[in-house]
Amino acid sequence: MKSLLVDINEAFKNAEDFFKEPFTVDSEAVLLLGLNSLVDLVNTKEMLKKGMDPTTEITLVKRTFFNRRLVEINCEEAIDSILQGKLIVFSKEQNKMFLFEPLPKELNRSIEQPTNENVIQGPLDSFIEDMSTNIGLVRKKVYSDQLSVKTYTVGSDQKKKLTIVYLENCADKDMIKKIISHIEVNQQKNIFYLQHLYRFMGIRKWEVIPKFNMTEMPLETVDCLNKGRVILFVDGFPFALILPHLLWDMFAQANDRNYSIPIMSAMRFLRVLGAFVTLTFPALYVALVAVNPEVLKVELALSIAQSREGIPYPPFVEMTLMLLIIELIVEASIRLPLSIGPTVTMVGGIVIGQAVVDAKLVSNLLIIVVAATSIANSTVIGFQNALILRLLKYVIVIFASIYGVLGVLTGLVFISAYFASRVIFGIPYTSFAKRRREIG
């Protein structure tokens, strides 16, 4: 046993928050081992003292506080438990180690409103970085014994917990088997970022369409569970990962059903229209101005030609330049502090837009097209879905600059074929419903 303590001391020799505290449990000398940064040692010791009844034997204390299971005496498990924030109680007399669940330090933030997803009429709670809290939020909304929760420890040198949640009576059994198979095969791989999780789940790293749909809203998560989806929680990630991610997730969310059917349908139609505008407006400008101006009415063609008088660049360069400037403004608005970000990007956009028009670098019509495209791109649900559209619109612009209106149609067909070819854990990406009785 001394060698075990020596090994533990050696493992934490560079950790100044590691403690080895002598303590007495009913006249029995023990050592408390743990990390001060994770364990509230003062209150934990007080809790142990309050549980000691002088009229009872030590077995009561052990039954109450030692978590009812012994840790096998080996260095690896002891170190792993300490790193997870557990307290190791070493009994010198019995030459045994007990695993104790201490009072933890409050390191998690409280449940707050969603920060990346706006809720107008619906629950205002959101997930946090603590996985147990996130599972509790889901259980609070799902009163069913069919809810299955399976937790795995993944990683080699830096272990992390990964949990899959699904409803037994709704989820596809073959899909669950595939997901569990990927987890068990790659259980030794570390997960630090979502890219690691993609490779962990066997997703190609150059895949444009993510196979996970992310949300920080429990309402959306529960709705997906009822549709037969599988939810992944990774400890430290303040959102749920929904499998599979389908095309219709870009236009519909659970909160829509808090409105009447006409309003819900109108909102979803606007999102579909926004996606279409994002993909086609920049390409149509390039096609109609540079390649196929004969399609336009004479009055409109003359008006566009007049607005482009003196501009030295072809429409393709003009459009690409302004789209890249807009991308820079959007990226800057994300990185800047919230107190100054909106003001700086708004002023910057106005100044740059007015300056490039006055300098005869772009036309007035182009500014309108780019602004409409940027607004339309924000109508779809989910930031990652908006990123997909932001990327794919350049593909159609390139086709339009070469083939004109035919290139726009070719680009749309190419993207539609790409979407239709994607299969996520046996479910086609373009599926509107997982089961017949479901609605979008």
Side-chain angles (χ1 to χ4, degrees), residues 97-388:
M97 272 192 167
F98 296 92
L99 177 64
F100 176 63
E101 189 72 36
L103 291 174
K105 287 262 180 97
E106 290 296 331
L107 301 177
N108 298 316
R109 59 188 175 95
S110 59
I111 299 173
E112 302 170 347
Q113 294 186 19
T115 56
N116 299 315
E117 299 176 76
N118 292 326
V119 180
I120 298 176
Q121 189 173 313
L124 296 178
D125 51 353
S126 65
F127 294 126
I128 62 173
E129 289 77 10
D130 182 60
M131 190 172 66
S132 298
T133 303
N134 296 340
I135 297 173
L137 287 172
V138 173
R139 280 202 175 275
K140 189 176 180 181
K141 297 179 184 295
V142 180
Y143 299 97
S144 173
D145 57 357
Q146 296 293 319
L147 186 67
S148 179
V149 178
K150 296 182 179 180
T151 302
Y152 300 87
T153 300
V154 300
S156 54
D157 52 340
Q158 298 188 35
K159 298 187 181 299
K160 193 180 286 281
K161 288 186 177 180
L162 183 148
T163 298
I164 62 171
V165 183
Y166 58 91
L167 287 172
E168 290 277 359
N169 58 336
C170 296
D172 184 274
K173 299 297 187 293
D174 292 334
M175 180 175 65
I176 294 172
K177 288 180 181 178
K178 290 179 182 178
I179 295 172
I180 293 177
S181 174
H182 279 291
I183 294 174
E184 291 176 347
V185 169
N186 301 294
Q187 202 160 354
Q188 295 303 315
K189 293 183 179 179
N190 293 319
I191 299 177
F192 302 125
Y193 307 101
L194 285 180
Q195 286 187 8
H196 299 154
L197 185 60
Y198 292 156
R199 291 196 289 269
F200 187 92
M201 299 301 295
I203 302 172
R204 294 180 300 178
K205 61 180 179 180
W206 293 105
E207 185 72 65
V208 175
I209 299 174
K211 296 192 176 184
F212 301 99
N213 187 28
M214 293 182 290
T215 182
E216 57 181 345
M217 296 194 299
L219 174 65
E220 187 72 21
T221 304
V222 171
D223 181 68
C224 290
L225 283 173
N226 291 326
K227 290 180 178 179
R229 310 277 188 96
V230 177
I231 310 300
L232 263 68
F233 288 110
V234 181
D235 205 15
F237 288 9
F239 44 78
L241 299 163
I242 301 169
L243 280 169
H245 175 220
L246 304 180
L247 178 63
W248 189 239
D249 296 335
M250 194 180 296
F251 310 115
Q253 62 178 172
N255 194 53
D256 296 342
R257 297 190 181 92
N258 289 327
Y259 303 94
S260 63
I261 291 180
I263 294 177
M264 180 188 73
S265 302
M267 292 167 60
R268 292 180 175 180
F269 172 75
L270 286 175
R271 293 169 191 154
V272 175
L273 180 62
F276 181 77
V277 167
T278 302
L279 291 174
T280 59
F281 262 36
L284 282 175
Y285 175 86
V286 174
L288 296 176
V289 173
V291 184
N292 300 115
E294 69 276 2
V295 176
L296 301 171
K297 291 181 63 176
V298 175
E299 296 84 358
L300 182 58
L302 291 175
S303 176
I304 294 175
Q306 185 178 2
S307 69
R308 296 197 72 254
E309 185 179 356
I311 295 175
Y313 305 115
F316 174 72
V317 176
E318 182 187 12
M319 175 60 71
T320 304
L321 177 65
M322 284 308 300
L323 286 177
L324 290 177
I325 290 176
I326 290 296
E327 300 290 353
L328 292 174
I329 292 174
V330 171
E331 192 66 19
S333 67
I334 297 173
R335 305 302 167 198
L336 285 171
L338 291 177
S339 57
I340 63 172
T343 303
V344 170
T345 52
M346 182 180 67
V347 173
I350 293 173
V351 171
I352 291 174
Q354 186 64 42
V356 294
V357 171
D358 292 341
K360 294 291 183 181
L361 296 178
V362 299
S363 65
N364 292 320
L365 180 60
L366 178 65
I367 297 296
I368 297 173
V369 171
V370 171
T373 302
S374 300
I375 294 172
N377 188 63
S378 302
T379 60
V380 298
I381 296 170
F383 183 68
Q384 63 175 357
N385 292 324
L387 289 176
I388 294 172

Side-chain angles (χ1 to χ4, degrees), residues 29-163:
V30 298
L31 282 179
L32 305 180
L33 309 176
L35 295 173
N36 271 318
S37 55
L38 299 178
V39 176
D40 188 347
L41 183 59
V42 175
N43 289 325
T44 299
K45 290 168 70 175
E46 288 296 322
M47 185 177 69
L48 279 168
K49 290 177 182 178
K50 288 180 182 178
M52 295 178 189
D53 188 347
T55 63
T56 61
E57 298 180 355
I58 191 172
T59 53
L60 173 64
V61 181
K62 292 175 183 174
R63 190 185 311 116
T64 305
F65 297 110
F66 291 167
N67 207 24
R68 293 180 298 278
R69 78 180 181 92
L70 296 175
V71 176
E72 291 185 10
I73 300 175
N74 69 71
C75 184
E76 184 178 348
E77 284 204 14
I79 293 173
D80 186 60
S81 299
I82 291 173
L83 290 173
Q84 292 179 26
K86 310 296 184 185
L87 189 68
I88 299 297
V89 181
F90 168 46
S91 172
K92 297 180 179 178
E93 293 181 6
Q94 300 186 43
N95 201 33
K96 292 181 179 179
M97 272 192 167
F98 296 92
L99 177 64
F100 176 63
E101 189 72 36
L103 291 174
K105 287 262 180 97
E106 290 296 331
L107 301 177
N108 298 316
R109 59 188 175 95
S110 59
I111 299 173
E112 302 170 347
Q113 294 186 19
T115 56
N116 299 315
E117 299 176 76
N118 292 326
V119 180
I120 298 176
Q121 189 173 313
L124 296 178
D125 51 353
S126 65
F127 294 126
I128 62 173
E129 289 77 10
D130 182 60
M131 190 172 66
S132 298
T133 303
N134 296 340
I135 297 173
L137 287 172
V138 173
R139 280 202 175 275
K140 189 176 180 181
K141 297 179 184 295
V142 180
Y143 299 97
S144 173
D145 57 357
Q146 296 293 319
L147 186 67
S148 179
V149 178
K150 296 182 179 180
T151 302
Y152 300 87
T153 300
V154 300
S156 54
D157 52 340
Q158 298 188 35
K159 298 187 181 299
K160 193 180 286 281
K161 288 186 177 180
L162 183 148
T163 298

